[in-house]
Amino acid sequence: MKPKAVIFDLDGVITDTAHLHFLAWQRVASEIGIEIDEQINEQLKGISRMDSLARILCVGGVEQHVDQQERIRLAARKNALYVASLQQLKPDSVLPGIAELLEELHRNNVPVGLASVSLNAPRILEALGLQEQFDFCADASQIQHSKPHPEIFLAACAGLGVCAVHCIGIEDAQAGIEAINASGMLSVGIGKQLEHADLLLPSTGELSWPLLQTFWLTQHSAHVV
Ligand code: BG6
Ligand code: MG
């Protein structure tokens, strides 16, 4: 028995773009007099660009004073900074263990999906040379809700033609773990501060197909009953 698919988050799981998002937001926030730290950044992970901005404005206590036109300007400024920083991404920017796991999944005929709410996902996969490794990438431009809503994971399952309860999802964000759990998939968390993950690993380096198989065998029957 094995999972019918494994579905990956992108930022912070495939590559360390979570930190690049933080640096771009930190700069835009400081330009409007708001300081954000890594702790606040934890709440932005997995959240769409406009929702992230709304949270930052909330931290600064100015959400009532920034109109839609200014929000669009600030989000565009953040994205320009972020996209410029993506130039540093190269095939060796893939996080430890990920390339090997993708290969093992293909060798074992386990379909692989991507569930990222980032509109920059296609250009990141291209920079990493990983476009061919995903059997289906859910289209972030077509979903209505950010994580923790399960929509993006369910879209990835639908694209792969599999039922969520037969899949594993891998995430580095609390909102992402909640999205996976709400979809009915089994969740693997990457990081130290995550709650409610079915399996928690300190880093991607611990991921492997044998580990996921053992996890699946021990958890899946209990999970679907
Ligand atoms: C998620 C990130 O993957 O994508 C969030 O965890 C980010 O931090 C979101 O805000 C949207 O990304 P983008 O590239 O469309 O601004
Ligand atoms: Mg992430």
Side-chain angles (χ1 to χ4, degrees), residues 5 21 24 31 38 42 64 71-72 78 99 126 130-131 134 138 145 164 175 185 195 197 201 204 206 215 222:
H21 277 294
E31 287 169 1
E38 295 273 5
E42 284 304 311
Q64 309 294 346
R71 286 177 192 232
I72 289 168
K78 181 268 174 176
E126 194 186 336
L130 289 181
Q131 315 96 298
F134 290 85
H145 309 284
M185 301 161 73
E195 294 180 341
L201 301 173
T204 57
E206 281 78 37
F215 165 60

Side-chain angles (χ1 to χ4, degrees), residues 10 21 49 78-79 82-83 86 116-125 140:
L10 174 66
H21 277 294
R49 199 178 304 164
K78 181 268 174 176
N79 194 51
Y82 176 65
V83 168
L86 292 178
S116 171
V117 299
S118 172
L119 298 168
N120 291 299
R123 77 167 84 206
I124 293 171
L125 289 186

Side-chain angles (χ1 to χ4, degrees), residues 9-13 18 45-46 147 171-173:
D9 171 47
L10 174 66
D11 295 315
V13 171
K45 290 182 178 175
K147 300 162 188 178
E171 260 291 348
D172 71 316

Side-chain angles (χ1 to χ4, degrees), residues 48-66:
S48 73
R49 199 178 304 164
M50 294 309 278
D51 287 352
S52 297
L53 176 61
R55 289 196 186 198
I56 291 167
L57 297 176
C58 205
V59 167
V62 294
E63 70 275 28
Q64 309 294 346
H65 309 292
V66 180

